[in-house]
Amino acid sequence: MKKTLLAAALLAGFAGVAQAETSVTLYGIIDTGIGYNKVKGPGIDSHSKIGMVNGVNSGSRWGLRGTEDLGDGLRAVFTLESGFNSANGSQLQDRLFGRQATIGLASDSWGQLDFGRQTNIASKYFLNIDPFAASFGQSNLGVGISQTNTLRYDNMVMYQTPSFSGFQLGVGYSFNQNDVAGSSFETADNTRAITAGARYVNGPLQVALSYDQLNGDNANDDATPRAYAIGAAYDFEVVKLSLAYGRTTDGWFGGTTNAPGGLTNFGGQGSFADGFKANSYMVGLTAPVGAGKVFGSWQMVDPSNDKLTGGDETMNIFSLGYTYDLSKRTNLYVYGSYGKNWAFIDDAKTTAAAVGIRHRF
C-alpha cells in the first residue's frame, strides 16, 4: 500500500514538472459579418455588392502555440497558425498554415530567433500605431504604407532583441518571400526580402521605425523596391493620437483586396516598378466610448509618377469604426471607409462598410 502511494506521488510530481516545462496552447478567432462594397472608376461601370464578409476586425484563424523549457533561461518555441474563411469554411493563404509557421529559440536575456513563414518587422511594430490595427480592409494603414499590411514572407530567418526599457530591435531575411509555387534552385531566381526596424513602447508612448527591401529575381532585377516608415502614437487616455509617414520607391510591397470591377489592387504582393516613388501619410484617433472604442483615420498617398498603376493622382482614404465589447472574448464592430482617386487613378472611388461579430478563444 505504501509503495502504491509512493509511486502515485512520484508520477504526480513528474507530471507537474512536465507540465511546467512544456506547454501547447490551442487558440483562434472567428470573425463574420455583413458587408457592402462599391467601386467606380473612369471607363468602368459602377459595381456594388452586399453580402457576408469574413475577417474584417481580425482574420479568422486557428493555431497552436508551444514552448519547452531547455534550461538556463532558454526556450524552444513554435507557432502554427491557419487562416480560414468563416463564411464558407474554406482555407486561406493557399497553405495549411498560411498565417504563420515558425520554430525558434527564445530567451529573456538575448531575445528570440525564429525560422519560417511570418510577418515582416514593419507589420509587427506598426500594428498598435494603426487605429485599425492592420484590419478593416481599405481602412488599415497598410493600404498607404504597404509594408505594414500584415505582409508575410516565406523562408524567413528573424531575430528580435529583448525589450530594453521599452526599446526593441528586429531584423529578418527571406530567401524566397513568396514560395507558394515552389523555390527555384538558383538563388537569383527567387525574390529575396530584407526587413528591419526598431520600436519604443513605454506607457502611453509608442514609436516605430522600419525598413524593407526586395531583391528581385532574374525577371525583376531592373528595380529594387525599398520602403521606409516612421510612426508614433500617444495615449492621452481621453484620446489616442496616431501619426505615420512612409516613403516607397521602385515598387509596392503589399496588395489590397478591395479592387473589383477592373480597378487595380496595386499589383499584389511584391510589385516592381523602376522609378516609381510615393510619399504616404496617416493621421488617426482612437477614443474609449462606454464598453467599446471609436477610431478613425485619414490617409493620403502622393505618387511621383504613373509607373505603378498607370495613374499619378493623390489618393485619399477616410475611415471610421467602432467596436463594442460584449465580454473579454466577444465584441461587435461596425466601420465605413471611402477612398478617392483609388490606386492613383483620377476619380476612381471605393466605398466599404461592414457590421459583424468577433469571438476569440
Side-chain angles (χ1 to χ4, degrees):
M1 182 66 179
K2 291 182 179 179
K3 290 183 178 179
T4 302
L5 291 174
L6 178 60
L10 288 172
L11 286 174
F14 287 137
V17 171
Q19 186 176 10
E21 292 182 346
T22 304
S23 67
V24 177
T25 302
L26 172 67
Y27 66 93
I29 297 175
I30 304 173
D31 179 331
T32 311
I34 304 296
Y36 169 79
N37 289 85
K38 181 178 180 180
V39 297
K40 185 176 182 180
I44 300 173
D45 293 335
S46 177
H47 293 261
S48 63
K49 179 180 73 171
I50 185 169
M52 189 165 286
V53 291
N54 158 79
V56 173
N57 192 170
S58 298
S60 296
R61 72 198 72 170
W62 69 272
L64 297 170
R65 185 183 297 116
T67 180
E68 180 187 13
D69 187 353
L70 302 177
D72 296 325
L74 186 65
R75 305 182 302 277
V77 294
F78 75 86
T79 299
L80 299 173
E81 190 171 286
S82 180
F84 64 92
N85 186 330
S86 57
N88 59 25
S90 62
Q91 188 179 87
L92 297 180
Q93 289 96 33
D94 299 318
R95 300 164 173 86
L96 175 59
F97 296 110
R99 293 185 61 89
Q100 185 169 339
T102 56
I103 185 170
L105 296 171
S107 167
D108 293 337
S109 300
W110 56 259
Q112 185 162 329
L113 180 66
D114 288 304
F115 302 87
R117 177 174 170 82
Q118 58 191 298
T119 56
N120 64 332
I121 292 292
S123 296
K124 298 178 191 296
Y125 288 5
F126 280 79
L127 179 66
N128 293 323
I129 291 175
D130 181 7
F132 289 87
S135 298
F136 293 92
Q138 73 176 39
S139 301
N140 85 80
L141 177 63
V143 173
I145 304 178
S146 66
Q147 69 274 23
T148 68
N149 201 359
T150 317
L151 194 59
R152 298 182 177 92
Y153 290 147
D154 299 331
N155 306 295
M156 175 92 80
V157 180
M158 179 177 289
Y159 170 70
Q160 297 182 81
T161 70
S163 176
F164 299 106
S165 300
F167 287 98
Q168 186 179 25
L169 302 174
V171 62
Y173 180 81
S174 169
F175 294 91
N176 183 3
Q177 57 93 20
N178 189 13
D179 195 16
V180 68
S183 299
S184 298
F185 179 78
E186 295 289 343
T187 300
D189 286 338
N190 301 307
T191 297
R192 292 132 289 152
I194 299 170
T195 180
R199 65 178 168 183
Y200 175 76
V201 181
N202 194 349
L205 177 63
Q206 300 180 55
V207 180
L209 303 166
S210 70
Y211 172 77
D212 283 84
Q213 176 178 316
L214 295 178
N215 296 326
D217 56 24
N218 289 324
N220 294 291
D221 58 3
D222 59 337
T224 302
R226 294 183 174 90
Y228 315 81
I230 181 171
Y234 193 91
D235 192 346
F236 295 94
E237 295 186 0
V238 294
V239 66
K240 178 181 177 181
L241 173 64
S242 299
L243 302 170
Y245 166 77
R247 180 166 175 81
T248 308
T249 62
D250 282 350
W252 206 248
F253 283 78
T256 62
T257 57
N258 188 25
L263 288 178
T264 177
N265 69 345
F266 300 95
Q269 180 172 325
S271 299
F272 292 77
D274 186 31
F276 174 79
K277 298 177 183 178
N279 292 311
S280 304
Y281 309 86
M282 185 276 291
V283 177
L285 296 173
T286 305
V289 177
K293 61 181 180 179
V294 62
F295 41 94
S297 71
W298 163 68
Q299 293 189 71
M300 182 179 77
V301 187
D302 185 17
S304 63
N305 55 56
D306 62 359
K307 294 185 177 181
L308 182 67
T309 67
D312 61 359
E313 297 297 320
T314 299
M315 179 174 69
N316 286 274
I317 302 173
F318 307 89
S319 306
L320 184 66
Y322 177 70
T323 60
Y324 181 83
D325 293 332
L326 299 175
S327 70
K328 290 183 178 180
R329 295 179 177 270
T330 304
N331 70 277
L332 303 175
Y333 62 82
V334 58
Y335 94 104
S337 180
Y338 173 76
K340 171 76 172 172
N341 296 333
W342 181 259
F344 320 133
I345 306 299
D346 183 32
D347 206 32
K349 302 173 183 178
T350 67
T351 304
V355 296
I357 182 170
R358 178 184 69 161
H359 176 73
R360 291 158 286 176
F361 64 88

